[in-house]
Amino acid sequence: GVILADTPGGAVVVASMGTSTVRFQFVDFFRNGQLGRTRGGAICSHSQGTGPSNPAVQSGTLQVTSCRLTSNFGGAVDLVLIQETTRQVVAFSASNVEYNTASRNGGGVAIRATNAAVSISESCEFKFNVAQQGAGGGLYLRLQGNVALTIADSFFESNTAISGGGIFTDSLCKVAGQCPGETVKVTNTKFTGHVASAGAAVVVNSASSHVFS
């Protein structure tokens, strides 16, 4: 069947990660939808906090392990992690994100964060996802401060967007050295068959540290 919601998160809404650990393992998210097709057809979390970053406070963690997120509307995952007091950890491993569609950014996964560590590893596959009128067919990441993205040993294939068919990273930091905590590192990852008007595989719209190897 199809699950449709008129609020963010067609299947699962994590109201606020805070210092919690949320783990999805061996879960199949298939044909879930958000009616606006913009805010997470399968998983959505909008977590907001106030105050300065405090490394002594336990991080909140979202883990997606050995899952399949297929044919969801509104993108598969939409995360807004504006949680300044705690560092949020998001980890995708050994999971497939395929044939998902968003009307705007992030056909597969969209993340907007100020203080987070995001990792994609262990043969994750982002394939045939579409951001119809936006950026980041496979993955859209908006960096807004102390955010580190690490992608390793994964595969991006045939994702489509207006800009950044495979991956689109954006940042509020447009001057080198302005946000030293922002890093993007991509290693041993294959990009093939993407379609976009600008940057078929990857678009980097940031002055932060980016390493591809």
Side-chain angles (χ1 to χ4, degrees), residues 131-155:
Q132 293 175 325
Q133 301 175 44
L139 171 67
Y140 173 87
L141 179 64
R142 182 166 178 80
L143 313 169
Q144 299 181 24
N146 184 26
V147 183
L149 169 66
T150 303
I151 301 175
D153 305 312
S154 295
F155 185 55

Side-chain angles (χ1 to χ4, degrees), residues 31-87:
R31 295 187 68 191
N32 303 289
Q34 192 270 332
L35 293 177
R37 295 176 180 256
T38 59
R39 293 303 176 107
I43 302 170
C44 176
S45 179
H46 289 186
S47 182
Q48 293 185 273
T50 59
S53 177
N54 183 354
V57 178
Q58 179 184 350
S59 297
T61 302
L62 174 67
Q63 298 176 348
V64 180
T65 304
S66 300
C67 293
R68 293 179 58 88
L69 301 97
T70 309
S71 300
N72 297 286
F73 307 102
V77 179
D78 184 82
L79 305 177
V80 178
L81 307 177
I82 314 301
Q83 182 67 273
E84 298 177 356
T85 56
T86 61
R87 188 163 176 78

Side-chain angles (χ1 to χ4, degrees), residues 87-117:
R87 188 163 176 78
Q88 305 296 287
V89 177
V90 180
F92 293 86
S93 60
S95 295
N96 291 359
V97 181
E98 303 173 332
Y99 297 99
N100 302 286
T101 302
S103 63
R104 291 185 288 186
N105 298 324
V109 174
I111 301 174
R112 289 164 288 277
T114 56
N115 185 17

Side-chain angles (χ1 to χ4, degrees), residues 155-169:
F155 185 55
F156 286 73
E157 178 186 1
S158 299
N159 300 289
T160 301
I162 300 299
S163 182
I167 297 175
F168 184 97
T169 67

